Amino acid sequence: MFLAGVGYVAGLAAYLQSNLAALSSLAAAVATDPVTALSASHGLTPAGTFVLGAVSGPPSAALAFPAGATLLAVVFTGTVAKFGHGAAYLYLLGAFAPLAAFSFGTAVAVEPAGATLALLVVLPLAATLLFLGDVGRFLLSNR
């Protein structure tokens, strides 16, 4: 699970690197009016558009983004299906959030930066960290 998270973060870094100007514009706007800033696009490349460019273009580090997102979803699904009970299935929401952002980004021309960052950064990273924390807590309680 940890390695899938690391793979996703490496791919996410390629996406964020290509959007540095938009992210700095977003950061400046958040300081003055957070609600308006997060509901505007600020020129952030939609995730689906970025992925289509990465897949259809020459091989580059950008391919790590869709590969890492797919790996994260597959590993989470396999792990939760085999060992999950009760609320553990909620972790799948965070694992599949990047894939949802990919499809959302191709369907909508201008999407809010807040939604993009929630789907690509907050949900998958929170799901991964919380899952690893739960696994650690479970392992320590069974000693």
Side-chain angles (χ1 to χ4, degrees):
M1 186 63 59
F2 176 75
L3 293 178
V6 169
Y8 176 70
V9 168
L12 179 63
Y15 172 76
L16 296 176
Q17 180 71 28
S18 74
N19 284 292
L20 283 178
L23 291 172
S24 65
S25 168
L26 173 64
V30 165
T32 59
D33 186 9
V35 174
T36 304
L38 293 174
S39 61
S41 107
H42 294 283
L44 195 64
T45 304
T49 304
F50 181 84
V51 168
L52 286 175
V55 172
S56 63
S60 68
L63 285 172
F65 188 43
T70 304
L71 179 66
L72 189 69
V74 167
V75 169
F76 258 100
T77 300
T79 304
V80 170
K82 181 146 178 95
F83 303 107
H85 300 303
Y89 289 93
L90 291 175
Y91 290 117
L92 293 177
L93 292 175
F96 279 91
L99 299 179
F102 296 167
S103 62
F104 180 67
T106 57
V108 178
V110 177
E111 57 187 63
T116 301
L117 294 177
L119 290 171
L120 296 178
V121 179
V122 176
L123 288 173
L125 295 182
T128 302
L129 293 173
L130 290 171
F131 184 84
L132 290 172
D134 277 353
V135 168
R137 185 177 48 87
F138 174 77
L139 292 174
L140 289 174
S141 70
N142 286 335
R143 282 188 150 193

